[in-house]
Short mmCIF file of all heavy atoms in Angstrom, two decimals:
data_model
loop_
_atom_site.label_atom_id
_atom_site.label_comp_id
_atom_site.label_asym_id
_atom_site.label_seq_id
_atom_site.Cartn_x
_atom_site.Cartn_y
_atom_site.Cartn_z
N LEU A 27 0.76 -1.16 0.02
CA LEU A 27 -0.04 -0.05 -0.03
C LEU A 27 0.85 1.24 -0.08
O LEU A 27 1.85 1.32 0.64
CB LEU A 27 -0.91 0.07 1.23
CG LEU A 27 -2.03 -0.94 1.29
CD1 LEU A 27 -2.58 -1.07 2.65
CD2 LEU A 27 -3.12 -0.49 0.33
N LYS A 28 0.43 2.20 -0.76
CA LYS A 28 1.19 3.47 -0.82
C LYS A 28 1.13 4.21 0.58
O LYS A 28 0.14 4.31 1.15
CB LYS A 28 0.47 4.37 -1.85
CG LYS A 28 1.11 5.73 -2.01
CD LYS A 28 0.33 6.52 -3.13
CE LYS A 28 0.88 7.90 -3.13
NZ LYS A 28 -0.02 8.81 -3.87
N GLY A 29 2.27 4.68 0.91
CA GLY A 29 2.38 5.49 2.12
C GLY A 29 2.55 4.66 3.38
O GLY A 29 2.58 5.22 4.54
N ASP A 30 2.58 3.33 3.35
CA ASP A 30 2.70 2.50 4.60
C ASP A 30 3.98 2.91 5.43
O ASP A 30 3.82 2.91 6.65
CB ASP A 30 2.81 1.01 4.21
CG ASP A 30 1.45 0.38 4.25
OD1 ASP A 30 0.48 1.06 4.62
OD2 ASP A 30 1.34 -0.84 4.04
N ASN A 31 5.07 3.16 4.78
CA ASN A 31 6.27 3.53 5.60
C ASN A 31 6.50 4.91 5.68
O ASN A 31 7.58 5.31 6.21
CB ASN A 31 7.49 2.72 4.87
CG ASN A 31 7.30 1.26 5.05
OD1 ASN A 31 6.84 0.72 5.98
ND2 ASN A 31 7.65 0.56 3.92
N LEU A 32 5.69 5.74 5.20
CA LEU A 32 5.88 7.19 5.29
C LEU A 32 5.33 7.75 6.57
O LEU A 32 4.18 7.39 6.99
CB LEU A 32 5.24 7.91 4.07
CG LEU A 32 5.82 7.61 2.73
CD1 LEU A 32 5.00 8.28 1.62
CD2 LEU A 32 7.27 7.99 2.66
N LYS A 33 5.98 8.72 7.09
CA LYS A 33 5.44 9.51 8.28
C LYS A 33 4.32 10.39 7.76
O LYS A 33 4.39 10.77 6.61
CB LYS A 33 6.50 10.31 8.95
CG LYS A 33 7.64 9.50 9.62
CD LYS A 33 8.55 10.45 10.21
CE LYS A 33 9.66 9.67 11.05
NZ LYS A 33 10.69 10.68 11.61
N THR A 34 3.43 10.67 8.67
CA THR A 34 2.41 11.67 8.25
C THR A 34 3.17 13.02 8.20
O THR A 34 4.29 13.14 8.68
CB THR A 34 1.33 11.79 9.29
OG1 THR A 34 1.87 12.31 10.56
CG2 THR A 34 0.56 10.50 9.58
N ASN A 35 2.54 14.05 7.49
CA ASN A 35 3.12 15.29 7.40
C ASN A 35 3.43 15.88 8.73
O ASN A 35 4.56 16.50 8.87
CB ASN A 35 2.18 16.26 6.66
CG ASN A 35 2.20 15.85 5.19
OD1 ASN A 35 2.94 15.30 4.63
ND2 ASN A 35 1.07 16.40 4.44
N THR A 36 2.66 15.74 9.67
CA THR A 36 2.85 16.34 11.03
C THR A 36 4.06 15.58 11.70
O THR A 36 4.91 16.21 12.25
CB THR A 36 1.61 16.32 11.92
OG1 THR A 36 1.11 15.05 11.95
CG2 THR A 36 0.59 17.30 11.36
N GLU A 37 4.16 14.29 11.57
CA GLU A 37 5.23 13.61 12.22
C GLU A 37 6.57 13.93 11.58
O GLU A 37 7.56 13.83 12.22
CB GLU A 37 4.99 12.10 12.21
CG GLU A 37 3.78 11.71 13.09
CD GLU A 37 3.44 10.28 12.92
OE1 GLU A 37 3.77 9.66 11.83
OE2 GLU A 37 2.80 9.71 13.84
N SER A 38 6.57 14.17 10.28
CA SER A 38 7.80 14.34 9.60
C SER A 38 8.55 15.64 9.91
O SER A 38 9.72 15.75 9.65
CB SER A 38 7.54 14.32 8.09
OG SER A 38 6.82 15.47 7.67
N VAL A 39 7.91 16.58 10.60
CA VAL A 39 8.58 17.84 11.01
C VAL A 39 9.21 17.74 12.34
O VAL A 39 9.98 18.68 12.76
CB VAL A 39 7.66 19.11 10.86
CG1 VAL A 39 7.18 19.22 9.46
CG2 VAL A 39 6.47 19.02 11.84
N VAL A 40 8.96 16.69 13.13
CA VAL A 40 9.63 16.66 14.50
C VAL A 40 11.10 16.53 14.32
O VAL A 40 11.53 15.75 13.42
CB VAL A 40 8.98 15.35 15.22
CG1 VAL A 40 9.73 15.15 16.48
CG2 VAL A 40 7.53 15.52 15.53
N GLY A 41 11.75 17.35 15.07
CA GLY A 41 13.15 17.44 14.97
C GLY A 41 13.65 18.55 13.98
O GLY A 41 14.82 18.92 14.11
N ASN A 42 12.81 19.17 13.31
CA ASN A 42 13.20 20.25 12.38
C ASN A 42 13.13 21.59 13.17
O ASN A 42 12.36 21.71 14.16
CB ASN A 42 12.16 20.39 11.22
CG ASN A 42 12.37 19.24 10.25
OD1 ASN A 42 13.23 18.37 10.32
ND2 ASN A 42 11.45 19.21 9.31
N THR A 43 13.88 22.56 12.71
CA THR A 43 13.94 23.89 13.27
C THR A 43 13.25 24.96 12.44
O THR A 43 13.41 24.94 11.25
CB THR A 43 15.39 24.20 13.60
OG1 THR A 43 16.01 23.21 14.47
CG2 THR A 43 15.53 25.54 14.33
N TYR A 44 12.51 25.77 13.03
CA TYR A 44 11.82 26.92 12.43
C TYR A 44 11.95 28.17 13.15
O TYR A 44 12.25 28.16 14.35
CB TYR A 44 10.28 26.57 12.30
CG TYR A 44 10.06 25.32 11.50
CD1 TYR A 44 9.95 24.07 12.13
CD2 TYR A 44 9.91 25.33 10.09
CE1 TYR A 44 9.78 22.90 11.44
CE2 TYR A 44 9.69 24.21 9.35
CZ TYR A 44 9.63 22.98 10.01
OH TYR A 44 9.43 21.83 9.34
N THR A 45 11.74 29.26 12.49
CA THR A 45 11.84 30.63 13.16
C THR A 45 10.43 30.97 13.69
O THR A 45 9.46 30.83 13.06
CB THR A 45 12.24 31.71 12.13
OG1 THR A 45 13.48 31.35 11.52
CG2 THR A 45 12.26 33.06 12.77
N LEU A 46 10.43 31.38 14.97
CA LEU A 46 9.22 31.68 15.70
C LEU A 46 8.76 33.01 15.08
O LEU A 46 9.44 34.02 15.10
CB LEU A 46 9.52 31.79 17.20
CG LEU A 46 8.37 31.83 18.15
CD1 LEU A 46 7.57 30.54 17.96
CD2 LEU A 46 8.93 31.84 19.51
N LEU A 47 7.51 33.11 14.74
CA LEU A 47 6.85 34.25 14.13
C LEU A 47 6.21 35.22 15.15
O LEU A 47 6.01 36.41 14.94
CB LEU A 47 5.82 33.83 13.08
CG LEU A 47 6.30 33.06 11.92
CD1 LEU A 47 5.11 32.60 11.03
CD2 LEU A 47 7.37 33.74 11.10
N SER A 48 5.76 34.62 16.31
CA SER A 48 5.27 35.39 17.47
C SER A 48 5.71 34.77 18.74
O SER A 48 5.99 33.59 18.80
CB SER A 48 3.75 35.52 17.32
OG SER A 48 3.16 34.17 17.49
N ASP A 49 5.74 35.67 19.75
CA ASP A 49 6.28 35.21 21.10
C ASP A 49 5.48 34.15 21.63
O ASP A 49 4.21 34.04 21.41
CB ASP A 49 6.18 36.34 22.07
CG ASP A 49 7.06 37.59 21.71
OD1 ASP A 49 7.97 37.40 20.89
OD2 ASP A 49 6.86 38.71 22.21
N ILE A 50 6.16 33.13 22.31
CA ILE A 50 5.45 32.24 23.17
C ILE A 50 5.57 32.74 24.60
O ILE A 50 6.74 33.07 25.08
CB ILE A 50 6.13 30.89 23.14
CG1 ILE A 50 6.12 30.21 21.68
CG2 ILE A 50 5.52 29.90 24.11
CD1 ILE A 50 6.91 28.92 21.58
N THR A 51 4.45 32.97 25.26
CA THR A 51 4.45 33.40 26.65
C THR A 51 3.76 32.36 27.49
O THR A 51 3.29 31.30 26.95
CB THR A 51 3.73 34.78 26.74
OG1 THR A 51 2.38 34.59 26.54
CG2 THR A 51 4.29 35.79 25.83
N THR A 52 3.65 32.62 28.74
CA THR A 52 2.90 31.71 29.61
C THR A 52 1.40 31.72 29.36
O THR A 52 0.71 30.74 29.66
CB THR A 52 3.20 32.04 31.11
OG1 THR A 52 2.85 33.44 31.31
CG2 THR A 52 4.57 31.78 31.50
N GLU A 53 0.92 32.79 28.70
CA GLU A 53 -0.49 32.92 28.34
C GLU A 53 -0.92 32.64 26.88
O GLU A 53 -1.96 32.41 26.56
CB GLU A 53 -1.02 34.29 28.76
CG GLU A 53 -1.10 34.58 30.19
CD GLU A 53 0.22 35.21 30.76
OE1 GLU A 53 0.90 35.81 29.92
OE2 GLU A 53 0.56 35.02 31.83
N GLU A 54 0.18 32.82 26.00
CA GLU A 54 -0.07 32.87 24.63
C GLU A 54 0.70 31.73 23.90
O GLU A 54 1.90 31.65 24.15
CB GLU A 54 0.16 34.22 24.01
CG GLU A 54 -0.71 35.30 24.56
CD GLU A 54 -2.12 35.23 23.91
OE1 GLU A 54 -2.29 34.79 22.82
OE2 GLU A 54 -3.05 35.68 24.73
N MET A 55 0.13 31.12 22.85
CA MET A 55 0.85 30.27 21.95
C MET A 55 1.59 31.08 20.97
O MET A 55 1.14 32.27 20.60
CB MET A 55 -0.09 29.31 21.26
CG MET A 55 -0.73 28.26 22.09
SD MET A 55 -1.75 27.06 21.09
CE MET A 55 -3.26 28.10 20.99
N GLY A 56 2.70 30.63 20.49
CA GLY A 56 3.46 31.23 19.46
C GLY A 56 3.04 30.66 18.11
O GLY A 56 2.11 29.80 18.10
N THR A 57 3.70 31.12 17.03
CA THR A 57 3.35 30.61 15.72
C THR A 57 4.61 30.31 14.92
O THR A 57 5.65 31.08 15.12
CB THR A 57 2.39 31.58 14.91
OG1 THR A 57 2.96 32.83 14.95
CG2 THR A 57 0.98 31.57 15.49
N ILE A 58 4.54 29.38 14.10
CA ILE A 58 5.60 29.08 13.09
C ILE A 58 4.94 28.85 11.69
O ILE A 58 3.82 28.60 11.69
CB ILE A 58 6.49 27.98 13.50
CG1 ILE A 58 5.70 26.61 13.64
CG2 ILE A 58 7.27 28.24 14.74
CD1 ILE A 58 6.39 25.37 13.84
N ARG A 59 5.73 28.90 10.70
CA ARG A 59 5.25 28.66 9.34
C ARG A 59 5.96 27.39 8.73
O ARG A 59 7.17 27.43 8.73
CB ARG A 59 5.55 29.82 8.35
CG ARG A 59 5.10 29.57 6.93
CD ARG A 59 5.28 30.75 6.01
NE ARG A 59 4.34 31.83 6.27
CZ ARG A 59 4.62 32.97 6.74
NH1 ARG A 59 5.89 33.31 6.94
NH2 ARG A 59 3.76 33.90 6.99
N ILE A 60 5.11 26.41 8.41
CA ILE A 60 5.64 25.19 7.81
C ILE A 60 5.01 25.01 6.45
O ILE A 60 3.81 24.90 6.34
CB ILE A 60 5.34 23.97 8.65
CG1 ILE A 60 5.94 24.13 10.11
CG2 ILE A 60 5.80 22.71 8.08
CD1 ILE A 60 5.47 23.09 11.07
N ASN A 61 5.82 25.10 5.44
CA ASN A 61 5.42 24.89 4.11
C ASN A 61 4.21 25.87 3.73
O ASN A 61 3.31 25.47 3.16
CB ASN A 61 5.03 23.41 3.78
CG ASN A 61 6.10 22.46 3.92
OD1 ASN A 61 7.19 22.82 3.58
ND2 ASN A 61 5.77 21.29 4.44
N GLY A 62 4.40 27.14 4.19
CA GLY A 62 3.40 28.19 3.88
C GLY A 62 2.12 28.13 4.88
O GLY A 62 1.22 29.03 4.69
N VAL A 63 2.06 27.16 5.71
CA VAL A 63 0.95 27.13 6.65
C VAL A 63 1.41 27.59 8.10
O VAL A 63 2.43 27.12 8.57
CB VAL A 63 0.37 25.70 6.71
CG1 VAL A 63 -0.81 25.59 7.70
CG2 VAL A 63 -0.02 25.21 5.38
N ILE A 64 0.51 28.37 8.69
CA ILE A 64 0.86 28.98 10.02
C ILE A 64 0.30 27.94 11.05
O ILE A 64 -0.83 27.41 10.96
CB ILE A 64 0.17 30.33 10.34
CG1 ILE A 64 0.66 31.25 9.28
CG2 ILE A 64 0.48 30.72 11.74
CD1 ILE A 64 2.14 31.65 9.36
N TRP A 65 1.20 27.48 11.94
CA TRP A 65 0.75 26.62 13.07
C TRP A 65 1.05 27.14 14.44
O TRP A 65 2.00 27.93 14.60
CB TRP A 65 1.72 25.27 13.02
CG TRP A 65 1.42 24.51 11.80
CD1 TRP A 65 2.08 24.57 10.58
CD2 TRP A 65 0.51 23.39 11.67
NE1 TRP A 65 1.61 23.67 9.68
CE2 TRP A 65 0.58 23.00 10.36
CE3 TRP A 65 -0.40 22.92 12.52
CZ2 TRP A 65 -0.19 21.92 9.79
CZ3 TRP A 65 -1.31 21.86 12.02
CH2 TRP A 65 -1.09 21.38 10.63
N ASN A 66 0.17 26.88 15.37
CA ASN A 66 0.39 27.24 16.75
C ASN A 66 1.41 26.29 17.47
O ASN A 66 1.43 25.16 17.14
CB ASN A 66 -0.91 27.14 17.52
CG ASN A 66 -1.91 28.21 17.13
OD1 ASN A 66 -1.54 29.37 16.89
ND2 ASN A 66 -3.25 27.84 17.10
N VAL A 67 2.20 26.86 18.25
CA VAL A 67 3.24 26.17 19.04
C VAL A 67 3.30 26.56 20.52
O VAL A 67 2.93 27.72 20.81
CB VAL A 67 4.66 26.42 18.43
CG1 VAL A 67 4.73 25.84 17.04
CG2 VAL A 67 5.06 27.83 18.38
N VAL A 68 3.63 25.66 21.33
CA VAL A 68 3.77 25.87 22.76
C VAL A 68 5.11 25.36 23.24
O VAL A 68 5.71 24.44 22.59
CB VAL A 68 2.74 25.21 23.61
CG1 VAL A 68 1.38 25.85 23.28
CG2 VAL A 68 2.59 23.68 23.44
N SER A 69 5.69 25.95 24.26
CA SER A 69 7.01 25.58 24.71
C SER A 69 6.90 24.24 25.51
O SER A 69 5.82 24.07 26.18
CB SER A 69 7.59 26.64 25.70
OG SER A 69 8.71 26.19 26.29
N ASN A 70 7.89 23.36 25.37
CA ASN A 70 7.79 22.05 26.12
C ASN A 70 8.01 22.23 27.60
O ASN A 70 7.63 21.34 28.39
CB ASN A 70 8.85 21.16 25.51
CG ASN A 70 10.27 21.56 25.73
OD1 ASN A 70 10.54 22.77 25.94
ND2 ASN A 70 11.22 20.56 25.71
N ASN A 71 8.55 23.36 28.07
CA ASN A 71 8.80 23.54 29.46
C ASN A 71 8.23 24.82 30.03
O ASN A 71 8.79 25.41 31.06
CB ASN A 71 10.35 23.37 29.70
CG ASN A 71 11.11 24.44 29.10
OD1 ASN A 71 10.52 25.32 28.35
ND2 ASN A 71 12.45 24.41 29.11
N GLU A 72 7.27 25.37 29.28
CA GLU A 72 6.68 26.77 29.73
C GLU A 72 7.61 27.85 29.72
O GLU A 72 7.32 28.93 30.28
CB GLU A 72 5.93 26.59 31.02
CG GLU A 72 4.85 25.57 31.06
CD GLU A 72 4.09 25.45 32.38
OE1 GLU A 72 4.24 26.36 33.14
OE2 GLU A 72 3.29 24.53 32.54
N GLU A 73 8.66 27.61 28.93
CA GLU A 73 9.70 28.76 28.81
C GLU A 73 9.12 29.86 27.85
O GLU A 73 8.39 29.52 26.85
CB GLU A 73 10.92 28.21 28.11
CG GLU A 73 12.04 29.17 27.87
CD GLU A 73 13.27 28.54 27.21
OE1 GLU A 73 13.15 27.46 26.68
OE2 GLU A 73 14.38 29.13 27.23
N VAL A 74 9.37 31.12 28.17
CA VAL A 74 9.01 32.18 27.26
C VAL A 74 10.13 32.32 26.20
O VAL A 74 11.26 32.32 26.50
CB VAL A 74 8.92 33.54 28.06
CG1 VAL A 74 8.72 34.68 27.16
CG2 VAL A 74 7.79 33.49 29.15
N ILE A 75 9.66 32.27 24.92
CA ILE A 75 10.49 32.32 23.77
C ILE A 75 10.05 33.51 22.94
O ILE A 75 8.94 33.63 22.59
CB ILE A 75 10.56 31.07 23.07
CG1 ILE A 75 10.82 29.90 23.93
CG2 ILE A 75 11.68 31.07 21.87
CD1 ILE A 75 10.74 28.47 23.26
N SER A 76 10.96 34.36 22.62
CA SER A 76 10.73 35.61 21.83
C SER A 76 10.69 35.28 20.38
O SER A 76 11.34 34.44 19.85
CB SER A 76 11.72 36.71 22.09
OG SER A 76 11.69 37.01 23.42
N LYS A 77 9.83 36.05 19.69
CA LYS A 77 9.72 36.03 18.17
C LYS A 77 11.08 36.17 17.53
O LYS A 77 11.92 37.01 18.09
CB LYS A 77 8.82 37.21 17.80
CG LYS A 77 8.75 37.48 16.33
CD LYS A 77 7.77 38.57 16.06
CE LYS A 77 8.32 39.88 15.86
NZ LYS A 77 7.50 40.92 15.32
N GLY A 78 11.34 35.50 16.50
CA GLY A 78 12.70 35.56 15.77
C GLY A 78 13.63 34.49 16.22
O GLY A 78 14.60 34.18 15.53
N ASN A 79 13.44 33.94 17.44
CA ASN A 79 14.24 32.79 17.84
C ASN A 79 13.96 31.52 17.06
O ASN A 79 12.80 31.36 16.54
CB ASN A 79 14.06 32.50 19.33
CG ASN A 79 14.76 33.39 20.22
OD1 ASN A 79 15.99 33.35 20.26
ND2 ASN A 79 14.07 34.29 20.93
N LYS A 80 14.94 30.69 16.94
CA LYS A 80 14.75 29.33 16.30
C LYS A 80 14.17 28.40 17.39
O LYS A 80 14.51 28.43 18.58
CB LYS A 80 16.05 28.71 15.86
CG LYS A 80 16.75 29.55 14.76
CD LYS A 80 16.05 29.51 13.47
CE LYS A 80 16.90 30.16 12.43
NZ LYS A 80 16.21 30.48 11.18
N VAL A 81 13.13 27.60 16.95
CA VAL A 81 12.60 26.59 17.85
C VAL A 81 12.64 25.24 17.13
O VAL A 81 12.48 25.17 15.89
CB VAL A 81 11.13 26.93 18.21
CG1 VAL A 81 11.07 28.16 19.11
CG2 VAL A 81 10.24 27.13 17.04
N GLU A 82 12.93 24.16 17.92
CA GLU A 82 12.84 22.89 17.34
C GLU A 82 11.65 22.16 17.78
O GLU A 82 11.23 22.23 18.92
CB GLU A 82 14.10 22.09 17.85
CG GLU A 82 14.20 20.67 17.36
CD GLU A 82 15.35 19.89 17.98
OE1 GLU A 82 16.31 20.45 18.41
OE2 GLU A 82 15.17 18.65 18.03
N ILE A 83 10.93 21.47 16.80
CA ILE A 83 9.68 20.76 17.13
C ILE A 83 10.08 19.46 17.81
O ILE A 83 10.89 18.60 17.29
CB ILE A 83 8.90 20.42 15.85
CG1 ILE A 83 8.48 21.84 15.31
CG2 ILE A 83 7.69 19.58 16.18
CD1 ILE A 83 7.67 21.76 13.99
N VAL A 84 9.49 19.18 19.02
CA VAL A 84 9.73 18.04 19.75
C VAL A 84 8.54 17.07 19.92
O VAL A 84 8.76 15.93 20.33
CB VAL A 84 10.36 18.33 21.24
CG1 VAL A 84 11.70 18.97 21.12
CG2 VAL A 84 9.34 19.19 22.06
N GLY A 85 7.42 17.56 19.50
CA GLY A 85 6.21 16.81 19.55
C GLY A 85 4.99 17.48 19.07
O GLY A 85 5.05 18.61 18.58
N ILE A 86 3.94 16.73 19.20
CA ILE A 86 2.56 17.24 18.69
C ILE A 86 1.61 17.01 19.76
O ILE A 86 1.60 15.86 20.33
CB ILE A 86 2.23 16.55 17.34
CG1 ILE A 86 3.27 16.60 16.34
CG2 ILE A 86 0.82 16.99 16.84
CD1 ILE A 86 3.21 15.56 15.29
N LYS A 87 0.64 17.90 20.00
CA LYS A 87 -0.46 17.79 20.99
C LYS A 87 -1.64 18.33 20.29
O LYS A 87 -1.79 19.62 20.22
CB LYS A 87 -0.09 18.38 22.31
CG LYS A 87 -1.13 18.12 23.37
CD LYS A 87 -0.66 18.71 24.67
CE LYS A 87 -1.78 18.27 25.75
NZ LYS A 87 -1.39 18.77 27.11
N GLY A 88 -2.61 17.51 19.97
CA GLY A 88 -3.76 17.97 19.32
C GLY A 88 -3.43 18.74 17.97
O GLY A 88 -2.81 18.13 17.15
N ASN A 89 -3.83 20.00 17.83
CA ASN A 89 -3.54 20.77 16.57
C ASN A 89 -2.42 21.73 16.79
O ASN A 89 -2.33 22.73 15.99
CB ASN A 89 -4.81 21.46 16.16
CG ASN A 89 -5.29 22.47 17.14
OD1 ASN A 89 -4.75 22.53 18.29
ND2 ASN A 89 -6.21 23.31 16.74
N LYS A 90 -1.55 21.45 17.73
CA LYS A 90 -0.42 22.41 17.93
C LYS A 90 0.92 21.58 18.07
O LYS A 90 0.94 20.41 18.44
CB LYS A 90 -0.62 23.35 19.05
CG LYS A 90 -0.80 22.63 20.40
CD LYS A 90 -1.17 23.63 21.47
CE LYS A 90 -1.56 23.03 22.74
NZ LYS A 90 -2.96 22.54 22.81
N TYR A 91 1.99 22.24 17.80
CA TYR A 91 3.30 21.64 17.91
C TYR A 91 3.85 22.07 19.18
O TYR A 91 3.70 23.19 19.68
CB TYR A 91 4.24 22.06 16.81
CG TYR A 91 3.92 21.49 15.50
CD1 TYR A 91 3.31 22.17 14.45
CD2 TYR A 91 4.23 20.03 15.24
CE1 TYR A 91 3.06 21.52 13.24
CE2 TYR A 91 3.94 19.49 13.95
CZ TYR A 91 3.22 20.26 13.04
OH TYR A 91 2.98 19.73 11.81
N ILE A 92 4.64 21.12 19.81
CA ILE A 92 5.38 21.38 21.06
C ILE A 92 6.85 21.60 20.62
O ILE A 92 7.40 20.87 19.90
CB ILE A 92 5.29 20.25 22.05
CG1 ILE A 92 3.82 19.91 22.43
CG2 ILE A 92 6.13 20.41 23.35
CD1 ILE A 92 3.60 18.65 23.03
N VAL A 93 7.39 22.78 21.08
CA VAL A 93 8.78 23.08 20.70
C VAL A 93 9.70 23.38 21.87
O VAL A 93 9.21 23.63 22.94
CB VAL A 93 8.73 24.41 19.80
CG1 VAL A 93 7.92 24.14 18.49
CG2 VAL A 93 8.13 25.62 20.44
N LYS A 94 10.93 23.39 21.60
CA LYS A 94 11.99 23.85 22.49
C LYS A 94 12.81 24.91 21.87
O LYS A 94 12.89 24.87 20.64
CB LYS A 94 12.77 22.67 23.07
CG LYS A 94 13.67 22.01 22.03
CD LYS A 94 14.60 21.07 22.69
CE LYS A 94 15.54 20.41 21.62
NZ LYS A 94 16.42 19.36 22.20
N LYS A 95 13.50 25.73 22.62
CA LYS A 95 14.24 26.74 22.06
C LYS A 95 15.45 26.06 21.35
O LYS A 95 16.09 25.16 21.86
CB LYS A 95 14.84 27.56 23.15
CG LYS A 95 15.44 28.93 22.67
CD LYS A 95 15.63 29.91 23.80
CE LYS A 95 16.11 31.21 23.22
NZ LYS A 95 16.35 32.17 24.25
N GLY A 96 15.72 26.48 20.02
CA GLY A 96 16.63 25.83 19.26
C GLY A 96 17.97 26.55 19.31
O GLY A 96 18.15 27.48 20.02
N ASP A 97 18.93 26.09 18.43
CA ASP A 97 20.21 26.70 18.31
C ASP A 97 20.03 27.86 17.35
O ASP A 97 19.70 27.73 16.29
CB ASP A 97 21.07 25.67 17.78
CG ASP A 97 22.57 26.17 17.65
OD1 ASP A 97 22.88 27.33 17.98
OD2 ASP A 97 23.41 25.32 17.29
N ASN A 98 20.43 29.01 17.82
CA ASN A 98 20.25 30.29 17.10
C ASN A 98 21.43 30.74 16.29
O ASN A 98 21.55 31.90 15.97
CB ASN A 98 19.69 31.41 17.99
CG ASN A 98 18.20 31.24 18.33
OD1 ASN A 98 17.35 31.26 17.46
ND2 ASN A 98 17.98 30.92 19.55
N LYS A 99 22.32 29.83 16.11
CA LYS A 99 23.55 30.12 15.28
C LYS A 99 23.17 30.38 13.84
O LYS A 99 22.29 29.75 13.40
CB LYS A 99 24.60 29.03 15.43
CG LYS A 99 25.07 29.00 16.81
CD LYS A 99 26.17 27.96 16.94
CE LYS A 99 26.61 27.86 18.38
NZ LYS A 99 27.56 26.76 18.57
#
């Protein structure tokens, strides 16, 4: 069957790094753009992360991605 060994689109981005488009705060989700689509993201440890920082996707919860602060080099 076609696609048996392929990850779903959402699973395939885990481990990838993206630029944060809006701040992640304790009250607000941030956003990232993946293939032209804007997604909500939350910090994996409730860390505040500012817009423009790199974030790495570490998981998925419902319709949002869980991220950690990435390497900003």
